[in-house]
Amino acid sequence: MTQTYCRKATRTLQSKKLHSFKLGRVKRAAEIRRQLALRKNFERFLFRRLNTVFRRFILTQLYLYREYGVYIPEAAVLRLNEEFRPVMLSFYRRLFVNAYTANNAHYDKFTKNTDVVVFGQNVVIEELVAQYYAGKELILAGITQRLANRIQQEIELGRIDGLGVAAIAKNIRDKIIPLSRSRAQLIARTEAHNALGFAQHSYHKTVQGATGQKLVKQWAATLDGRTRSHHSSANGQTVDMDSDFIVNGAPMSYVGDPRGGASNVINCRCVILYTDEEDIVLN
């Protein structure tokens, strides 16, 4: 049986009239702030978890290397994956649940619906997690492999320089722990952004299906000196829910869409505005 991370709707569609999604006027700047604040909370949470996992992994490998003078990258990767994968899956579940309930609270101000129920439709969070993770598994596997390989490289360099086990272990601690912290920050920033982009898109697809209204989506860039030029060019681009944005020549359904490639998703700060086709977006 598929496990769900939501409570069942207490009212059926017959007993609850679906209210309109039409917002009338949407303040662009306010919506960007709302979404970026949500993303920042997820980013901080994931960074703390990843930093702990990476640091514990490195210290464990250092202990084993100092004690036995042996480091086996293949075994190290398996060990790291045992901790890393559950952390990411748990994070995705947490993000999807909180993103959906935050949207419900934002749009459904009268009923204050905070269940994972979108306009009367139950949402199976596990299905969303599985769908999202299927496109990320190889990328995440590469992260753990690179960290394990980086330790092996430091050991090999130390041996070439004629260093003993203790000196090599110290170099690993001094170099790899700071590196792992910066990696954790980058992963947390990118994955919080990408997963939230997927969650927002999935949520509003459900809204469109539940209400029968035609929604549109608009690319909204954070316009400042750090914004990449092709994201500035995409700013304001508006398409139907089932259509793609074209960003620097790549099709993207939402911010963080992996089809956009690394140049479009890493360190991106753009958001998507979802509105009824008759709504007015105010700058």
Side-chain angles (χ1 to χ4, degrees), residues 172-187:
I172 292 173
R173 182 185 181 99
D174 293 345
K175 295 179 182 179
I176 308 300
I177 287 182
L179 174 65
S180 71
R181 181 179 176 86
S182 64
R183 288 278 174 83
Q185 288 176 326
L186 178 60
I187 295 165

Side-chain angles (χ1 to χ4, degrees), residues 21 23 31 34-35 99-100 103 106-107 118-119 196-211 213 215-217 241 272-276:
F21 183 76
L23 303 173
E31 180 59 17
R34 183 182 79 87
Q35 291 195 41
Y100 270 58
N103 278 331
H106 178 68
Y107 296 129
V118 181
F119 285 73
L196 183 57
F198 175 85
Q200 293 288 77
H201 184 70
S202 299
Y203 177 92
H204 290 92
K205 287 273 288 185
T206 303
V207 168
Q208 180 169 263
T211 64
Q213 290 174 245
L215 303 188
V216 296
K217 53 189 180 182
M241 279 295 297
I272 304 299
L273 307 182
Y274 295 91
T275 65
D276 179 84

Side-chain angles (χ1 to χ4, degrees), residues 39 42-44 46-47 50 88 91-92 95 132 136 139-140 143 182-198 228 254-258 261-269:
R39 192 204 77 180
F42 293 135
E43 179 186 328
R44 284 194 289 260
L46 182 57
F47 168 70
L50 289 180
M88 296 307 299
F91 169 71
Y92 295 143
L95 183 146
Y132 183 75
K136 305 294 294 187
I139 295 173
L140 297 178
I143 290 170
S182 64
R183 288 278 174 83
Q185 288 176 326
L186 178 60
I187 295 165
R189 186 182 309 120
T190 301
E191 277 307 297
H193 182 264
N194 296 354
L196 183 57
F198 175 85
R228 61 201 80 183
Y254 51 88
V255 291
D257 186 339
S263 65
N264 275 323
V265 301
I266 295 177
N267 286 330
C268 175
R269 295 173 297 138

